[in-house]
Amino acid sequence: MEAKLINSFDISAAGGGKGLLGDIDGDGYDEVMAGYALLDHNGRVLWSCHDLEDHADCLWVVDVNGDGRPEIAVGGSVTCLYSADGEELWRYDGSIESQHIALGKFLPGEPGLQVAGLDRIRRGDGYKGQWDGKDGMFLLDCCGREVWKEDRKTSGWLTIVDALSNWNGDEKDYILAYRRGGGVMPALYDGNGEAAVTFSNDGYVLHGDLFGRGKEDVIVYSGETAWVYSGTKPEPGKMPSGKPVPQEKRLYRSTLYPGGER
């Protein structure tokens, strides 16, 4: 059967970059966040973010402020939060380039969720003659106010940040940061920006529930080796055998720009 094109949209007109699929407005149909524009299931533009440059590097759909309705968190030229109806709720412009954002309850006891971000302060690929790249993490509260910003002393500008939950059964959310450079190893950071767990091998990182225990494990991998880390020791007798372990939707694809739903 020949595939039939129903609709098309030039994502470059909306800044390009990241895309996201999900029922954002609760109408029973999936919408598409294509760059800075939200499309309905017929491909019609419902609304677009305004006054944003470059492109969307990271998108999340999640109830950030605790009002029971999903918002859209956007990381791009700045970090901002939009309602499902397209209203800009807040904007944080205290970064140079918001390359990654990760949503989680990094500060238990505080309202809503917090937004962890990675600011690409200075590129190190020769762009504009710059070879001494530098980046740094930051944390915002649910209202977009800066909680802290990392004053990084080591070199490195290619950090990836993501959210990891329930590492050792404590139900806490952590900020996973890797590919840091400058001799900084992959680590889980708490809501105060302190490294709670540091991994002894460097490389790219995957995380998920490997043993069906409801706890997230970590795989650090290089070109030849993969190292598996767990917050608690697995019990061999309780490990699933011969059947797949249910996983989160985000693991259907591999990307250096994490995002999605929560």
Side-chain angles (χ1 to χ4, degrees):
M1 183 175 65
E2 184 178 353
K4 180 182 179 181
L5 177 65
I6 298 176
N7 210 329
S8 64
F9 176 73
D10 182 6
I11 192 173
S12 64
K18 190 75 174 179
L20 184 66
L21 183 70
D23 185 6
I24 296 170
D25 58 10
D27 65 352
Y29 296 96
D30 281 345
E31 286 73 47
V32 179
M33 192 70 187
Y36 291 140
L38 183 69
L39 316 180
D40 67 10
H41 60 285
N42 291 312
R44 179 173 61 93
V45 177
L46 298 176
W47 53 263
S48 297
C49 303
H50 57 81
D51 300 322
L52 295 178
E53 299 176 357
D54 300 322
H55 56 265
D57 284 307
C58 194
L59 297 168
W60 283 78
V61 176
V62 60
D63 179 11
V64 176
N65 54 26
D67 64 356
R69 295 173 293 180
E71 290 86 37
I72 300 175
V74 181
S77 57
V78 298
T79 306
C80 50
L81 188 72
Y82 276 79
S83 72
D85 298 323
E87 176 188 2
E88 184 174 296
L89 303 176
W90 53 255
R91 174 178 294 222
Y92 172 74
D93 56 7
S95 59
I96 305 300
E97 180 186 353
S98 183
Q99 189 72 9
H100 299 283
I101 55 175
L103 282 291
K105 193 74 170 179
F106 304 121
L107 292 172
E110 294 297 318
L113 300 180
Q114 291 77 50
V115 181
L118 189 283
D119 183 14
R120 180 169 286 174
I121 301 168
R122 189 170 58 244
R123 300 181 68 92
D125 57 357
Y127 178 69
K128 295 184 178 180
Q130 298 172 167
W131 295 100
D132 56 338
K134 180 181 180 180
D135 62 25
M137 298 186 295
F138 61 87
L139 188 73
L140 312 177
D141 68 11
C142 66
C143 296
R145 295 173 295 225
E146 183 182 298
V147 178
W148 53 260
K149 183 183 291 186
E150 182 184 32
D151 183 17
R152 185 171 181 181
K153 303 301 183 183
T154 56
S155 62
W157 63 284
L158 294 172
T159 300
I160 296 174
V161 300
D162 200 359
L164 184 146
S165 300
N166 203 25
W167 162 250
N168 56 8
D170 59 6
E171 303 295 335
K172 291 182 180 179
D173 291 342
Y174 293 93
I175 304 164
L176 168 64
Y178 61 97
R179 208 175 66 157
R180 303 224 66 189
V184 181
M185 305 300 281
L188 302 180
Y189 295 82
D190 62 21
N192 297 310
E194 301 293 332
V197 179
T198 300
F199 303 106
S200 55
N201 299 99
D202 202 359
Y204 288 86
V205 176
L206 296 171
H207 61 99
D209 181 6
L210 298 182
F211 305 108
R213 302 177 300 163
K215 303 173 186 177
E216 286 208 76
D217 309 290
V218 165
I219 303 174
V220 180
Y221 65 96
S222 65
E224 299 177 348
T225 307
W227 299 271
V228 178
Y229 294 88
S230 294
T232 58
K233 187 176 181 180
E235 299 179 45
K238 295 183 178 181
M239 291 184 188
S241 176
K243 56 183 179 181
V245 177
Q247 298 292 341
E248 297 181 38
K249 176 182 174 181
R250 63 176 176 81
L251 290 173
Y252 80 94
R253 50 89 170 97
S254 177
T255 177
L256 297 181
Y257 292 87
E261 303 166 279
R262 179 185 167 89

